[in-house]
Amino acid sequence: MSPQMGSAEKIIKINAVGTINITEASLAAAGEGFALVNVASIAGHMLPSVMVPRRTYRLATRDVEEFTRKMIANASRGPARMHPGSAYSLSKNFVIRHSADRAGAFGARGARILSVSPGSFDTEMGRLEEKSGSARLLEFAALKRFGRPDEIAELLAFCAGDKPGYLTGTDILCDGGTKAGLGIRGMLAMTRGA
């Protein structure tokens, strides 16, 4: 769920808590050769490390209710208009970290877990976010275009398949070189809307 699709609370509940629920249900069913590929976002890579609530993330497997409350509180700082965007970045950063954190549990079952972080893609959701500034990210990208749905589908299918049998506990950023070209100045410009 993207920032234009709902409140900070709804985004946290779907993106973060939903990831916990899917991950734990998948772990219960996982066996040799199983792979779970969670979908994160370039937004999860853009969250400054000082804003990452590591202690809150640790609650994900111990106290989901408290985790949810604290994640919503973290996303609800600052001006109200920024809450959904904050919730999105925070929830997608959590997806990346949670996928890495659960790799050992999956590995004990002969299974894999990882995340994929798309950048700006030419999808209905991607176009919805274009109006709120995501298209500006293309200014910094090595490939000055939106990604095609088939490009991300190929990556997701590969990650879930048998061939990358040693790939686990990591995130794959598929953003057309956006983060590589963004740098700290670009991130600050995006934050300020300049």
Side-chain angles (χ1 to χ4, degrees), residues 23-147:
T23 300
E24 295 311 305
S26 295
L27 180 59
E32 194 68 37
F34 181 94
L36 173 62
V37 183
N38 287 318
V39 178
S41 169
I42 185 177
H45 287 270
M46 295 170 63
L47 189 68
S49 61
V50 297
M51 295 179 68
V52 175
R54 288 175 183 83
R55 287 186 184 142
T56 298
Y57 288 1
R58 288 186 208 122
L59 294 169
T61 56
R62 292 187 304 226
D63 188 344
V64 176
E65 208 170 284
E66 183 67 3
F67 166 83
T68 305
R69 188 187 67 72
K70 287 187 172 195
M71 287 286 282
I72 293 167
N74 277 310
S76 299
R77 295 185 176 133
R81 65 180 171 75
M82 295 179 70
H83 293 181
S86 295
Y88 185 73
S89 293
L90 188 61
S91 67
K92 293 304 185 173
N93 181 269
F94 169 76
V95 171
I96 294 166
R97 290 176 181 266
H98 188 65
S99 298
D101 289 346
R102 298 305 283 153
F106 275 76
R109 294 174 172 258
R112 300 181 298 113
I113 180 174
L114 64 143
S115 57
V116 169
S117 289
S120 298
F121 275 80
D122 189 11
T123 61
E124 188 175 327
M125 188 167 88
R127 290 298 178 182
L128 177 65
E129 291 305 316
E130 182 179 15
K131 296 171 190 154
S132 68
S134 71
R136 287 206 51 231
L137 287 172
L138 300 179
E139 295 170 22
F140 303 97
L143 302 175
K144 305 286 187 208
R145 64 174 177 82
F146 278 88

